[in-house]
Amino acid sequence: MNRRHRATAAITLVCALALLTSTGQAGAAPVPEPSPSPSAAAGSPPRYSNADLEKVREQIDTLYRKAGAATDAYNLAEEQTKKQSGEIVKLAKAIVDGQARIAALKDRAGAQAREQYRNGGLPPGAQLALSNDPKLFLDGLNQVRQSQQASKSLLADLTRTQQDLETYTQDASSNWEKLETIRVEQAKAKKKINARIKAAEKLESRLEKKERDRLRQLERDAADRAQTAWLSSGPVKDVSGEASEGGAAAVAFATAQIGKPYVWGAEGPGSYDCSGLTSQAWLAAKRTIPRTSQEQWRLLPRIDIQDMRPGDLIIYHADASHVGMYVGDGAIVHAPRPGRDVTLAGAGSMKILGVVRPDK
C-alpha cells in the first residue's frame, strides 16, 4: 500500500511539473493536490523521493531565475522612466521659459510701435529726412541705425525663440511617447515577475513541511557541490587581492544588510533585490554604478577571476540575471531570490558569467 501511494504522489508531481512547463505563463494552470495517503503519518515513508524533490528544486530554481531576468528588465525600465520623466520636466520648464520670453519680446515690439505712433506715425527715416538741423540730422542718423539694428535683433530673437519653443514641444511629445512605451514594457515585466514567483510559490506550497525542509537541504547540497567543484578547479587559488578603500566600504555596507529580505525591485533600506544591494553598496562607497546586473555586466570594467578582490561584483548566468559582491575567501554576499534573505554564499555556487570592478 505504501508503495502504491508513493507512486501516486510521484505521478502527481510529474503532472504538476508538466503543467508548469507547458503553459505560456508559468503557473497559469492549477497544480494538482497530492493524493492523500493514510500512511502519511509520523515515521511513514516520504511521499516524494529525493529524485522527485530534485525535479521540484530545479523547476523552482528555473522559475526564480526567469523572475530575476524579468526583474532586471523591470528595474531598467524604472531607471529609464526616471530619466525620461526628468527630461520631460526640463522640457516643460524650457517651454514655460520660452513662452515668457516670447511675451517679453512682443512687449518690446509693441513699445516700439507705440513710440512710432507718438511720433506721428512716421518711421524714423522719414522723420530724419524732415529735419533741417545738420547736427540733429547726424544724431538722428545714428539713432536710426541703432533702431534698425535693435529691430532686426528683436525680430531675430523672436523668430529664434519661437523655433526653439516648437522644438521643445516636439521633443516633449516624443519623450512622452517613449515614456509610455517604457511603461508598457515595465508592466509586462511586472506581470512576468509576479506570474513566475506565484508559480514557484504554488509548487512549493504543495509540499508538506518535512518535504520543504528536505527541499531546502537539496538546495544547500546543490550549492555546496557547485562551490566545491569551482574551488577544486583552482580559479581562486592565487586570488589574494586586497580591497580598495571604496571596495572595503561597499563590502561593509553589503554585509551589514545580511538578514534583510529579498524583494524584487527593492533598493533598501529594509529589503533588496540582487542588483539593488550591489548598486546601493557602491553608492555608500560614493561610486554610482548601473542599477541592474545586466547593465553592470555591460558597462563596468571586466577583470579576470584570478585578479578579483573584495568589492568586485560577480555576474551569474548566461543572461547576467544575478549578481553578488565578492567578500574574499571564495565567498559572496548577495540577495538570492524571493523567500530568501541577504546572505553569504559560495562564489561558485551558481554559474559564473564573469567579474566586474566598479572602481577600476
Side-chain angles (χ1 to χ4, degrees):
M1 180 66 71
N2 287 341
R3 186 176 302 168
R4 181 184 304 169
H5 284 297
R6 286 199 298 273
T8 302
I11 293 171
T12 300
L13 178 63
V14 172
C15 291
L17 294 174
L19 283 168
L20 281 170
T21 54
S22 65
T23 54
Q25 284 188 352
V31 180
E33 293 282 354
S35 300
S37 171
S39 63
S44 64
R47 299 184 308 164
Y48 301 142
S49 68
N50 279 356
D52 295 331
L53 284 178
E54 181 62 21
K55 292 178 182 178
V56 174
R57 185 195 68 77
E58 290 173 356
Q59 181 66 18
I60 289 175
D61 184 61
T62 298
L63 287 166
Y64 279 126
R65 277 186 54 194
K66 289 180 178 180
T71 297
D72 240 23
Y74 178 91
N75 289 336
L76 181 59
E78 179 75 9
E79 290 296 294
Q80 291 173 335
T81 296
K82 291 178 183 177
K83 182 179 179 181
Q84 208 68 46
S85 297
E87 290 297 318
I88 290 172
V89 169
K90 290 180 183 177
L91 287 169
K93 185 178 183 303
I95 289 171
V96 171
D97 291 344
Q99 290 172 334
R101 180 159 181 75
I102 286 174
L105 290 171
K106 287 182 177 180
D107 285 345
R108 283 175 55 192
Q112 287 184 357
R114 289 191 295 274
E115 179 65 23
Q116 181 176 323
Y117 177 78
R118 283 195 293 270
N119 290 328
L122 294 175
Q127 297 174 30
L128 180 61
L130 295 175
S131 174
N132 294 322
D133 187 328
K135 184 177 183 306
L136 290 176
F137 180 85
L138 293 176
D139 291 342
L141 183 61
N142 186 48
Q143 291 177 3
V144 166
R145 287 173 179 167
Q146 291 178 352
S147 177
Q148 289 174 339
Q149 289 175 353
S151 296
K152 288 180 181 178
S153 177
L154 176 62
L155 182 59
D157 203 357
L158 182 59
T159 301
R160 184 171 55 252
T161 303
Q162 288 175 328
Q163 290 173 343
D164 288 345
L165 191 58
E166 290 176 2
T167 300
Y168 294 150
T169 303
Q170 291 172 358
D171 287 348
S173 177
S174 175
N175 283 5
W176 269 114
E177 292 176 0
K178 291 178 183 177
L179 183 60
E180 286 305 307
T181 299
I182 293 170
R183 283 174 174 164
V184 168
E185 293 301 315
Q186 192 173 12
K188 289 180 180 178
K190 183 176 181 180
K191 188 174 181 180
K192 288 179 181 178
I193 295 165
N194 288 333
R196 284 161 181 165
I197 291 175
K198 184 178 180 180
E201 291 174 343
K202 191 171 185 178
L203 182 55
E204 192 168 355
S205 72
R206 293 296 188 258
L207 304 175
E208 295 179 350
K209 183 181 183 304
K210 288 183 179 180
E211 292 162 344
R212 288 197 296 271
D213 291 341
R214 287 169 57 210
L215 185 68
R216 289 291 295 270
Q217 186 59 51
L218 288 174
E219 290 177 0
R220 290 190 288 269
D221 292 345
D224 289 344
R225 286 195 302 272
Q227 175 73 354
T228 300
W230 180 69
L231 290 174
S232 63
S233 67
V236 293
K237 183 173 60 176
D238 299 322
V239 172
S240 59
E242 294 185 2
S244 63
E245 182 179 350
V251 168
F253 179 94
T255 53
Q257 313 313 309
I258 289 175
K260 294 183 179 180
Y262 177 106
V263 174
W264 66 266
E267 300 177 83
S271 58
Y272 297 88
D273 62 19
C274 65
S275 57
L277 176 65
T278 54
S279 60
Q280 288 300 305
W282 271 101
L283 185 62
K286 303 189 181 339
R287 172 83 58 161
T288 300
I289 66 172
R291 169 63 177 88
T292 71
S293 59
Q294 291 174 346
E295 290 295 283
Q296 289 168 5
W297 174 244
R298 187 173 72 87
L299 297 174
L300 295 178
R302 300 178 186 180
I303 61 168
D304 293 334
I305 289 179
Q306 292 81 358
D307 298 327
M308 68 182 175
R309 65 192 186 194
D312 290 342
L313 305 182
I314 302 181
I315 309 297
Y316 293 95
H317 310 309
D319 58 359
S321 58
H322 191 71
V323 60
M325 178 176 291
Y326 185 65
V327 296
D329 297 325
I332 60 167
V333 59
H334 73 142
R337 65 164 175 84
R340 301 291 185 263
D341 298 332
V342 176
T343 188
L344 290 172
S349 58
M350 297 167 284
K351 182 66 175 177
I352 294 175
L353 178 61
V355 182
V356 295
R357 176 166 293 165
D359 59 346
K360 185 175 179 180

